[in-house]
Amino acid sequence: MSEMFRITLPDGSVREVAPGTTPADIAAAIGPGLAKAAIAAKVDGELRDIMRPLEGDAQLALVTSRDEAEALELARHDYAHVLAEAVQALWPGTQITFGPATDDGFYYDVKAPARRDPFSMDDLPAIEEKMREIIRADKPLRREVWSREDLIAKWEKEGEVFKAEWAKELPEGEELTVYWSGGDWLDMCRGPHLASTGKLDPQAFKLMRVAGAYWRGDQKNAQLTRIYGTGWLNKKQLDAHLHKLEEAAKRDHRKLGQEMDLFHLQSEAHGSVFWHPHGFVIWRALEAYMRRAIDAAGYAEVKTPQVMDARQWEQSGHWGKYRENMFVIPDEVPNVEDEGPLVSEAADWMALKPMNCPAHVLIFRQGIKSYRDLPLRLYENGCCHRNEPHGALHGLMRVRQFTQDDAHIFCRQDQIVDEVRAFCALADRIYKDFGFTYAIKLALRPEKRFGTEEMWDLAEAELRDAVEKAGLATAEYGWEELPGEGAFYAPKLEWHLTDAIGRTWQVGTIQSDRVLPERLDASYIGEDGERHRPIMLHRAIFGSYERFIGILIEHFAGRLPVWLAPVQAVVATIVSDADGYAQEVAAKLRAAGIRVETDLRNEKINYKVREHSLAKVPQLLVVGKREAEEGTVAIRTLGEQGQKMLSVDEAVAALVAEATPPDLRS
């Protein structure tokens, strides 16, 4: 009799099973309800197919649809495979490449056969119907291990040049697996997958769009079509997601930015924002708010150069780790003649700064610093440039030129926890001023990094300790640790804001860095009279002004708080006889610090109301002949029905109270 495997379940009980037993068999032995509900298994913490035989003693946890994160990951991976199978069934000769799960769905990159045009939106209904047919067929999804030679031979025989190329480059000795869908279609995949296509809900997915893509992300390679879909566990989840997308489309900051005349972007300056007067009012209000916050928190504001020598970036480590994202410029006068190269081979190189931190170290190094000078908090509204690909640019959310609310705290080791706790308190107050809730996460060391293991151990422990002492390492604040997500030089705390429609945005961060002070030779004189390295805390709250403004526009659907609104009030006339009175009211509001405009046009008042509502003006003060005689105004508040009559002085006082920034209210 062969040796039995000891399988330990989450409750601590142990079952002895024969080799060849699957997690599905164990679920069935526990009970028919679990046998029906179980969709996958965690074997020693690794997510696996429920039909994959156990290979030895193991810890086993069965996964059901209640384990939503794992269940969605599996379902979306399966939807991607079903998509590829459907496309090849409809158009034989289509080549497939890869199809991962995403945060809300899946995609697959495919190349159409030579006899037809690339796939388009018009093809999606037919593909969706074929996918539903494959799901309803309940085809078993079966894992097989193949030899490298057999797998390459299969792909080459079938003309799958992309799959063959990838298979040839996988490491020698790596187990190569495929998944069969029934007995007539397979794809190369590590898995895991559900037991069959019928485990998917045929009404819980939708193909959303197509886009161009390049094989392996390189523009020099073949162009492919990326087909995107969204996939869920049931139709209710899909409908909720589609509703959220509809709401997000209404809130799109690019659309609202145009309607509200805030900014524009154009091809003459890819990824850089043209701020219009109304948009820059929002910027200045945020800048003033942040300056008050950092002044009160003991920061000193600085300004550093836009362009620095490449040797500085080499020393900091950015030249090697980040150069592909930097705008590099020659340090010489370019050739103006018709012939010859624009730049000589002897040219030295400089770069627009992609971040502010090395420049802040250079400021710290000016003069001798004592342990008594620490902590030193340097703040900059720092304009940076990053060479993002054109296809990755997205309105204000992803740009090439941006301004960070950036600061670096140089401190002693014994000051780190207190400084991080103080930053947590500052970030908490600021995010609450804007009406956001948030989750806080600790991003741990990545695979490629600078520094010793001891440095990383210490830095991660200090951030963890600070959050625990601040009372934020709890489920209420969404506390989570993220392995591999830290920067190459430091672990970091991340603030993930939740907006009005439930989307999350990673915005604020603080990083505990021992690497950059070492590389750039920053030091202070300790109490012992010896030189010591400061610890450098990199921190931001908005992240960048551009992106934070985009988030605010979408969070408030353009209806910004009165203190941020570009135009806080409009005084609109019903009849021309009230023009003079409207200008008097506006003058009083302006004298009280309110951003106000008048609308004296010969238009009907309902037309004016609609127009200013579209422009998201918070308060409309309507005046006519009667209001002029009585010294009153009729106030219409954006988003509310009806109006209220107030004297001019009462209206001014009410608007001043609403327009006061939250940090200045008593």
Side-chain angles (χ1 to χ4, degrees):
M1 183 176 179
S2 60
E3 185 178 347
M4 303 290 277
F5 297 154
R6 290 175 57 81
I7 305 302
T8 305
L9 300 177
D11 64 0
S13 63
V14 177
R15 290 179 177 252
E16 292 194 344
V17 301
T21 300
T22 68
D25 295 329
I26 293 177
I30 293 172
L34 184 58
K36 184 177 180 181
I39 58 175
K42 281 189 174 179
V43 180
D44 292 332
E46 179 189 356
L47 192 63
R48 289 189 176 186
D49 311 330
I50 199 163
M51 301 303 294
R52 180 175 170 180
L54 297 162
E55 297 158 356
D57 296 348
Q59 301 273 343
L60 175 68
L62 295 165
V63 175
T64 71
S65 58
R66 290 185 178 181
D67 303 300
E68 191 167 287
E70 289 91 351
L72 279 170
E73 179 79 14
L74 286 162
R76 288 165 178 165
H77 193 176
D78 284 11
Y79 280 125
H81 277 246
V82 172
L83 166 60
E85 181 179 356
V87 172
Q88 289 197 315
L90 290 168
W91 294 281
T94 298
Q95 293 188 60
I96 58 175
T97 60
F98 298 110
T102 64
D103 288 343
D104 63 1
F106 56 94
Y107 69 79
Y108 216 108
D109 289 347
V110 298
K111 184 170 178 60
R115 64 181 178 274
R116 64 151 291 159
D117 293 332
F119 298 110
S120 69
M121 293 292 291
D122 293 338
D123 297 310
L124 299 190
I127 299 172
E128 281 187 354
E129 190 51 46
K130 191 65 177 178
M131 289 176 68
R132 293 191 176 93
E133 181 184 316
I134 293 168
I135 291 169
R136 292 190 184 103
D138 196 20
K139 301 173 71 175
L141 299 174
R142 180 169 48 87
R143 179 180 184 270
E144 278 188 359
V145 179
W146 281 39
S147 72
R148 176 184 305 277
E149 294 73 19
D150 288 347
L151 191 54
I152 293 170
K154 172 185 169 53
W155 295 136
E156 288 181 339
K157 179 181 177 182
E158 296 181 359
E160 294 278 9
V161 297
F162 305 111
K163 290 285 190 184
E165 178 184 322
W166 189 254
K168 290 174 184 176
E169 294 180 9
L170 290 172
E172 290 288 344
E174 181 174 319
E175 185 177 69
L176 302 183
T177 55
V178 302
Y179 276 80
W180 284 95
S181 173
D184 59 347
W185 189 86
L186 66 76
D187 195 3
M188 181 169 67
C189 182
R190 289 189 179 94
H193 283 278
L194 298 172
S196 69
T197 59
K199 298 294 184 184
L200 297 170
D201 184 339
Q203 302 303 320
F205 78 94
K206 181 176 177 59
L207 299 184
M208 304 299 292
R209 61 190 175 94
V210 299
Y214 292 98
W215 169 235
R216 305 175 90 164
D218 190 336
Q219 296 181 18
K220 298 174 185 175
N221 291 337
Q223 187 161 17
L224 310 170
T225 301
R226 179 168 294 177
I227 303 176
Y228 288 94
T230 185
W232 300 85
L233 300 180
N234 52 61
K235 190 174 187 300
K236 183 179 179 181
Q237 288 182 340
L238 173 66
D239 289 343
H241 177 69
L242 294 178
H243 176 73
K244 183 186 285 189
L245 291 181
E246 289 175 10
E247 186 61 32
K250 295 175 189 174
R251 295 168 177 262
D252 190 320
H253 72 280
R254 296 166 297 179
K255 170 178 169 287
L256 291 173
Q258 184 174 6
E259 291 176 358
M260 297 170 67
D261 192 24
L262 302 180
F263 65 88
H264 82 274
L265 299 107
Q266 62 186 69
S267 59
E268 285 77 5
H270 279 296
S272 298
V273 184
F274 293 82
W275 289 100
H276 298 190
H278 283 176
F280 205 59
V281 166
I282 301 171
W283 180 295
R284 291 179 60 198
L286 289 175
E287 198 172 52
Y289 171 92
M290 185 56 74
R291 278 204 170 98
R292 291 192 296 271
I294 62 111
D295 286 348
Y299 290 78
E301 188 168 358
V302 298
K303 193 71 175 173
T304 59
Q306 283 294 300
V307 180
M308 296 204 324
D309 193 288
R311 285 181 285 269
Q312 179 66 38
W313 299 111
E314 288 172 1
Q315 189 178 355
S316 70
H318 293 90
W319 195 254
K321 294 281 187 181
Y322 208 77
R323 188 170 55 206
E324 70 273 14
N325 296 113
M326 297 170 73
F327 286 100
V328 177
I329 56 177
D331 187 14
E332 72 172 21
V333 177
N335 177 26
V336 295
E337 303 298 330
D338 293 335
E339 296 182 359
L342 187 65
V343 180
S344 74
E345 293 183 3
D348 287 330
W349 291 95
M350 305 184 77
L352 286 169
K353 64 177 178 180
M355 50 200 66
N356 303 297
C357 29
H360 288 193
V361 177
L362 297 182
I363 290 177
F364 178 85
R365 286 179 53 192
Q366 293 297 301
I368 297 172
K369 299 294 186 295
S370 161
Y371 69 95
R372 294 189 183 90
D373 297 322
L374 305 184
L376 178 62
R377 308 179 190 97
L378 300 181
Y379 175 87
E380 180 173 8
N381 285 316
C383 180
C384 298
H385 292 79
R386 294 182 186 171
N387 194 0
E388 302 282 2
H390 287 197
L393 301 175
H394 179 75
L396 300 179
M397 301 304 192
R398 193 161 181 183
V399 292
R400 286 176 155 184
Q401 177 186 292
F402 56 95
T403 298
Q404 296 177 309
D405 65 309
D406 201 11
H408 297 90
I409 303 169
F410 297 88
C411 62
R412 305 188 308 265
Q413 185 168 321
D414 63 295
Q415 297 170 322
I416 293 173
V417 172
D418 286 343
E419 285 300 308
V420 175
R421 285 180 64 186
F423 176 76
C424 289
L426 179 63
D428 179 77
R429 177 173 65 77
I430 288 174
Y431 293 141
K432 286 178 179 175
D433 276 350
F434 289 94
F436 289 113
T437 58
Y438 63 82
I440 187 168
K441 304 181 189 296
L442 174 57
L444 304 172
R445 69 196 75 184
E447 184 177 342
K448 294 181 179 180
R449 56 186 180 270
F450 289 149
T452 65
E453 293 304 295
E454 292 76 15
M455 290 168 67
W456 280 88
D457 289 341
L458 190 57
E460 290 172 353
E462 287 160 347
L463 293 181
R464 190 181 291 114
D465 186 31
V467 176
E468 288 172 354
K469 289 183 175 178
L472 301 176
T474 65
E476 178 188 356
Y477 286 96
W479 173 250
E480 184 181 2
E481 297 194 4
L482 306 174
E485 294 296 313
F488 68 84
Y489 52 85
K492 58 181 176 176
L493 294 175
E494 298 177 347
W495 276 256
H496 294 249
L497 307 187
T498 300
D499 71 10
I501 58 174
R503 298 173 300 179
T504 58
W505 306 89
Q506 196 270 301
V507 180
T509 182
I510 187 167
Q511 303 165 10
S512 176
D513 180 11
R514 287 169 164 80
V515 173
L516 201 58
E518 180 76 31
R519 293 183 69 93
L520 297 183
D521 195 29
S523 66
Y524 67 92
I525 304 301
E527 193 171 6
D528 58 2
E530 300 294 324
R531 290 177 74 237
H532 297 270
R533 296 286 181 216
I535 286 80
M536 186 177 184
L537 302 178
H538 308 245
R539 48 112 296 176
I541 294 179
F542 292 162
S544 79
Y545 279 83
E546 288 81 358
R547 186 165 176 268
F548 196 71
I549 291 172
I551 293 169
L552 287 175
I553 291 169
E554 297 198 3
H555 176 60
F556 290 109
R559 297 178 178 181
L560 296 167
V562 177
W563 71 277
L564 280 177
V567 178
Q568 295 168 324
V570 168
V571 183
T573 55
I574 300 172
V575 293
S576 60
D577 290 350
D579 287 0
Y581 179 64
Q583 290 170 335
E584 291 175 15
V585 172
K588 288 188 176 182
L589 289 167
R590 203 169 288 118
I594 301 299
R595 296 187 288 272
V596 61
E597 294 179 356
T598 56
D599 187 346
L600 311 180
R601 294 173 299 165
N602 185 23
E603 300 283 359
K604 292 183 178 179
I605 191 62
N606 287 340
Y607 176 85
K608 294 181 181 182
V609 170
R610 282 194 301 272
E611 189 172 85
H612 296 301
S613 295
L614 183 65
K616 306 295 188 288
V617 176
Q619 301 288 357
L620 186 64
L621 283 63
V622 178
V623 296
K625 192 172 181 181
R626 188 183 72 177
E627 286 79 14
E629 291 171 350
E630 297 176 354
T632 60
V633 293
I635 296 185
R636 295 172 179 249
T637 299
L638 182 65
E640 295 182 8
Q641 297 294 321
Q643 61 185 30
K644 52 188 175 184
M645 300 295 296
L646 295 176
S647 71
V648 174
D649 289 343
E650 289 172 333
V652 170
L655 275 170
V656 166
E658 280 195 76
T660 301
D663 60 313
L664 297 180
R665 295 170 190 164
S666 57

